[in-house]
Each structure stands twice: as structure tokens, then as C-alpha cells.
Amino acid sequence: MKILAFESSCDETAVAVVEDGRRVLSDAILSQADMHALYGGVVPEIASRKHVEAIAGLCDQALREAGITKSEIDAVAATYAPGLIGAVLVGLNFAKSVAYALSVPLIPVHHIRGHVAANYLAFPELEPPFLALCMSGGNTLLVDVKTYTDFALVGATRDDAAGECFDKAARVLGLPYPGGAPMDALAQQSAGGVYELPRAKVEGAELDMSFSGLKTAVVNLAHNAAQKGEALDRAALARDFTRAVSDELVPRTMLAAQRCGRKVIVAAGGVAANSILRADLQAACRREGCRLYLPPLRLCGDNGAMIGAQGYYEYLAGARADMSLNAYATRDIDDPVVSYAR
Ligand code: KG4
């Protein structure tokens, strides 16, 4: 079954063709990051406009690179939530029009479910159940993935996402947007141990996280140093910051896996590209006898193939949308807006 998949929730326009949820026939992506870098972060209005400009061409490119024509498409999948509302609307409305014109089913896909499914493309043997640590620019979640379409949220950030925290910390260190990858490179240059940064605890909710205090601490450190005319050890700060993010994420992931009775852990989302986090997750999983799946770097960030992968399993479970489907800026991963017609 060939699915034409659309992703436009943030600053990547992406269209892919995926066969049977596991085989990528094409994966066309156009990043707008350079454009937003001028402003130090994503400008929603610009993101929407750039999606409009790019999406038709990317759709043609995805079909051409897959070596198929429109008539060979069996279904259309699209991200319907969460994301920048104007941005999500562009991909979703384009997907609706394609599904309508081709008279094929329209499959709604939750963006974070897509990030988890990116792993299915890289690891043919991977199947639920497992515990997923999802960390992207806008979301940070711990999810018990019981089946391909049955997700239970077990922990989440109460404020900022890990990626947002990386991006803001990077900005005060003078690094370009998006800041995660440059922070990663900078952190490699130091062993750290210079700056004391806070670790948050959410009272009564051991699996929930908070990154806003850490973000503020880095901002304050940088401002205080600037006011006193002191030089920052930027590499050490990047390292100590990443260590603090890891301390927030890795122990909670292991605890969540234990509580859910899972021995398989899957990482997902843009922040899963971080080399220190990857090493820390590997070490923790080795220590506790868990099998760890880390997506290859090209599948950590937003892409259309992951929407095609999850779309396939949503299709099998009976998820269908009609032309009334709306886009949502926020939507829980375990609260599908479209019912499953089994
Ligand atoms: O999943 P993603 O591509 O987009 C969303 O769905 O949000 O995640 C983007 C986030 C950005 O905040 C970016 O700075 C971060 O992933 N990121 C990283 C790294 N590469 C990308 N964060 C830490 N280390 C990295 N190597």
C-alpha cells in the first residue's frame, strides 16, 4: 500500500511516499531554517507562507522520486496536530485536496506519533510495545506505546520542551538557530563541571519534567557575566547545560520503562540527535538491561516519511478523516481527534 504523506507542522515542508509503513520510496524535504535564523526563531507567519510556496512542488518531487504517478497512490496521510496552527493548516488542506481529487482515504496523523514511527523506517524488527522518549522543538513526552495506535502518556514537560530549551540557551551563547546541533558541537569541546545548573522536580509527578528554570538559569548566567564584563566558558556551559537536560530526561525514561514494564526504549524527535543524550541513554539502557533504539540522525528531525509510516498503521487501525478535519495547535498523543472505524 502506497501512502503519500504530508508534514508541515513547523519549519520543514515535507512530502514522502511510503510503502506498507516501512519502505521509503521518496522523502522530499525543504527546510526554512535559514529564513527563520535571521530572527533567532521560527516566525509563524513566515512559516505558513513558505509552506504555501513549497508544497505543490515538493508533492510533484515526491511522486517523481518514488517513480510513481498519482493514480498509484492508495491513501493520503497528513499531520493534523500539534504544531504552529497556520503551518499545520497548509499541509493538511493540501493533503485534503489531493485525497479528494484522487478519491482515496485521508488519514490523520499526530505529529509526535510520526516521530516515534520514524524508528520503524530504520529498524524493521521494531514493533510495539515499548516506551518512547519523544523530544522535539515543541514537545517532550514519555509515552507507553502499547500498540501501533494505542499510546498512553506517562510523563511530559510542564512548561518548555527540551528542544526549545536548547534553542534559547544556544541563542544566549551566540549560536545560530536552530541551536541544538551547534550546542552539541560546542559541548564536545569541554568536559564541563564549571557551572551549577538546576534540576527540576515536579512534586507528586515523578515522570513529569520542567525545562523553564534551566532555560532561565542559563539566560541569567550569561546576562550576569556580560554585566560584570566576565568571559563565559561557553563550551563548559554548553556541556553542563546538556548534562542538566540529560539528567532531566534519562533517569525519568528508565523509571517510566520500569513502571510500564517495558524493556525496549525508543528515542524520537529532533533532540534525539544529541550525541551526549544518545550516549547517556545507551549507558543507562546497558546498565538496566534494556534494548535501545536511537533513530538515525536523518530521521530525528521533521520529515514526511515518518508521517507515511505512522499513517499506514493508523490506516490499518481504521483511522479516517473527512473534509471537515481541522488542524490543532495542541492535541494529546493519546487523544486522537478522529475515531477509529473498526
Ligand atoms: O523534531 P524536530 O525537528 O521539530 C519539531 O517537531 O519540533 O526538533 C527540532 C528541535 C530543535 O529545537 C533543535 O534545536 C533540536 O531539535 N535539535 C537538537 C539537536 N539537533 C536538533 N537538540 C540537541 N542536540 C542536537 N544535536
Side-chain angles (χ1 to χ4, degrees):
M1 174 181 190
K2 294 186 184 72
I3 294 182
L4 180 65
F6 293 88
E7 157 60 37
S8 68
S9 64
C10 190
D11 59 350
E12 264 95 24
T13 323
V15 187
V17 179
V18 179
E19 190 167 33
D20 296 336
R22 297 273 178 167
R23 207 159 81 83
V24 182
L25 301 187
S26 64
D27 194 10
I29 303 180
L30 192 69
S31 173
Q32 313 167 354
D34 287 354
M35 179 75 54
H36 299 292
L38 299 172
Y39 305 94
V42 178
V43 183
E45 176 65 19
I46 293 177
S48 307
R49 286 167 187 264
K50 291 285 151 195
H51 287 311
V52 170
E53 286 170 18
I55 199 153
L58 280 169
C59 183
D60 288 343
Q61 184 185 335
L63 290 168
R64 199 171 54 244
E65 288 175 1
I68 60 168
T69 61
K70 291 188 195 83
S71 60
E72 290 169 81
I73 291 298
D74 299 300
V76 169
T79 298
Y80 73 91
L84 300 171
I85 189 68
V88 182
L89 273 167
V90 176
L92 179 60
N93 281 332
F94 194 89
K96 278 187 192 177
S97 62
V98 175
Y100 184 74
L102 299 179
S103 296
V104 295
L106 174 67
I107 310 163
V109 177
H110 189 284
H111 177 74
I112 306 298
R113 290 184 179 213
H115 272 303
V116 172
N119 285 278
Y120 302 142
L121 299 168
F123 306 109
E125 76 284 7
L126 176 63
E127 288 180 353
F130 53 76
L131 192 284
L133 167 62
C134 311
M135 349 167 229
S136 66
N139 298 271
T140 305
L141 314 172
L142 285 163
V143 186
D144 187 21
V145 183
K146 299 175 184 179
T147 71
Y148 286 106
T149 53
D150 186 2
F151 291 61
L153 183 66
V154 295
T157 180
R158 293 288 181 105
D159 39 55
D160 297 329
E164 141 86 10
C165 195
F166 263 104
D167 292 340
K168 291 290 147 55
R171 190 153 84 181
V172 299
L173 289 180
L175 298 169
Y177 170 84
M183 278 289 267
D184 199 351
L186 186 61
Q188 298 303 324
Q189 296 168 24
S190 169
V194 174
Y195 298 100
E196 248 181 61
L197 295 169
R199 269 70 169 163
K201 268 200 182 125
V202 180
E203 189 112 353
E206 270 180 298
L207 295 177
D208 281 354
M209 297 154 265
S210 164
F211 291 97
S212 63
L214 176 60
K215 182 175 85 177
T216 307
V218 175
V219 171
N220 287 345
L221 245 165
H223 286 169
N224 287 342
Q227 275 168 356
K228 290 184 195 154
E230 289 170 7
L232 273 180
D233 183 341
R234 292 166 69 252
L237 185 49
R239 184 85 190 197
D240 289 335
F241 166 81
T242 310
R243 169 82 32 241
V245 173
S246 176
D247 285 350
E248 195 76 16
L249 292 169
V250 178
R252 282 182 177 83
T253 304
M254 302 319 292
L255 180 62
Q258 192 193 62
R259 288 203 181 153
C260 296
R262 304 293 178 218
K263 280 289 185 191
V264 176
I265 292 174
V266 168
V271 181
N274 186 269
S275 55
I276 294 168
L277 270 170
R278 289 169 87 93
D280 288 354
L281 279 169
Q282 265 159 345
C285 285
R286 233 186 343 264
R287 221 170 26 242
E288 299 193 24
C290 290
R291 174 96 199 254
L292 175 66
Y293 288 91
L294 292 168
L297 299 192
R298 76 191 151 80
L299 287 173
C300 289
D302 291 347
N303 61 85
M306 69 186 200
I307 302 303
Q310 183 61 24
Y312 175 69
Y313 293 103
E314 298 286 345
Y315 177 85
L316 293 184
R320 301 287 186 277
D322 60 24
M323 294 301 125
S324 67
L325 175 65
N326 205 351
Y328 297 85
T330 56
R331 204 80 203 180
D332 287 346
I333 197 166
D334 55 358
D335 174 30
V337 67
V338 178
S339 58
Y340 293 90
R342 282 170 215 276

